[in-house]
Amino acid sequence: MSQKVTALEQEVERLTDEAELENLRREKQHLESELERAERESATYVTEVRELKDLLTELQTRLDGSYTEAIRQNEELTLLKTQLTETLSKLEAEENERQKVAGDLYKAQQSVDLIQGELSKVTDNADDLIENSSLSSQREEIDRKEKMTAGLGQTVTELQQLLQTVSRQLTKRQEGEADKDLPKV
C-alpha cells in the first residue's frame, strides 16, 4: 500500500505539475499576446507621433511663409502710403497754383478792360482834336497818339489772346485731373 500511496503521490505531483505547467503556458500565451498588442500600439503611437511631427513641420513652414508675406505686404503698404502722401502734396500744390493763376487771370482781364477803356478815351479825344485843330504841332501830337493807340490796341489784343490760351489750358488741366479721379472700370 505504501507503494500505491507513493505512486498516487507521484501521480498527484505529476498532475499538479502538468496543471501548473498548463497554467504557466496559458499565462505565457496571455503575456505574449499582451506583448504583441503593446508592440502594435507602440508602432501606432510611433506612426502617429511621426505624422504629428510632419504636420507640425508643415504648419511651421506655412506660418513662416505667412509671416514673410505679411512683412512684404506691410512694406508694400508703407510704400503706397508714402506715394499717396506725395501725390496729395503735389495735388495741393497744383491746386494752390491753379487758384493763384485764376486770380492773376482775373486781375489781367481787369487790366485789359481798363486799357481798352483808356484807348477808347484816347481815340475819342484824338478824333475831337482832329476836327477842332488845324495846327501842325497838334497834328503831330495826334499822329503820335494814334500810333500809340494802335500799339496799345495790338498789345491789348495779344493780352486777350494770351488770357484765352491760359484759360483754355486751365480748363483742360482741370478736366484731365477730374478724369484721373474717376474710378477705372
Side-chain angles (χ1 to χ4, degrees), residues 19 21-31:
L21 188 60
E22 187 60 32
N23 282 339
L24 287 174
R25 272 192 214 133
R26 280 189 212 135
E27 185 66 28
K28 179 185 170 200
Q29 286 176 348
H30 175 69
L31 289 174

Side-chain angles (χ1 to χ4, degrees), residues 145-157:
K145 286 184 178 181
E146 284 180 347
K147 288 179 184 177
M148 186 174 76
T149 302
L152 286 174
Q154 178 67 26
T155 302
V156 167
T157 304

Side-chain angles (χ1 to χ4, degrees), residues 51-66:
E51 289 172 356
L52 288 173
K53 280 184 179 178
D54 292 344
L55 181 61
L56 182 61
T57 302
E58 180 183 340
L59 290 174
Q60 184 64 43
T61 302
R62 285 184 188 175
L63 179 62
D64 292 345
S66 296

Side-chain angles (χ1 to χ4, degrees), residues 95-107:
E95 181 62 27
N96 292 337
E97 183 66 25
R98 231 188 332 276
Q99 289 175 357
K100 182 179 180 270
V101 169
D104 292 346
L105 185 64
Y106 176 73
K107 289 177 185 175

Side-chain angles (χ1 to χ4, degrees), residues 6-132:
T6 306
L8 280 175
E9 284 177 353
Q10 285 177 352
E11 185 63 25
V12 167
E13 218 175 280
R14 186 183 63 79
L15 286 175
T16 304
D17 285 343
E18 280 183 25
E20 213 173 287
L21 188 60
E22 187 60 32
N23 282 339
L24 287 174
R25 272 192 214 133
R26 280 189 212 135
E27 185 66 28
K28 179 185 170 200
Q29 286 176 348
H30 175 69
L31 289 174
E32 285 176 347
S33 68
E34 285 291 316
L35 180 62
E36 287 175 9
R37 186 179 61 78
E39 286 175 347
R40 282 192 306 269
E41 285 180 5
S42 175
T44 302
Y45 292 147
V46 167
T47 302
E48 288 177 359
V49 166
R50 193 173 300 128
E51 289 172 356
L52 288 173
K53 280 184 179 178
D54 292 344
L55 181 61
L56 182 61
T57 302
E58 180 183 340
L59 290 174
Q60 184 64 43
T61 302
R62 285 184 188 175
L63 179 62
D64 292 345
S66 296
Y67 181 74
T68 302
E69 180 65 16
I71 289 173
R72 186 192 65 75
Q73 288 179 356
N74 190 31
E75 289 171 352
E76 189 175 310
L77 182 61
T78 302
L79 177 64
L80 288 174
K81 283 180 182 178
T82 302
Q83 290 173 345
L84 180 61
T85 302
E86 290 172 359
T87 301
L88 287 174
S89 296
K90 287 178 184 177
L91 288 175
E92 287 174 359
E94 288 176 6
E95 181 62 27
N96 292 337
E97 183 66 25
R98 231 188 332 276
Q99 289 175 357
K100 182 179 180 270
V101 169
D104 292 346
L105 185 64
Y106 176 73
K107 289 177 185 175
Q109 184 64 47
Q110 286 180 329
S111 297
V112 168
D113 292 344
L114 184 64
I115 291 171
Q116 281 181 326
E118 291 296 319
L119 282 176
S120 294
K121 287 180 189 177
V122 169
T123 304
D124 291 344
N125 286 342
D127 289 342
D128 289 343
L129 285 175
I130 290 172
E131 291 173 8
N132 295 330

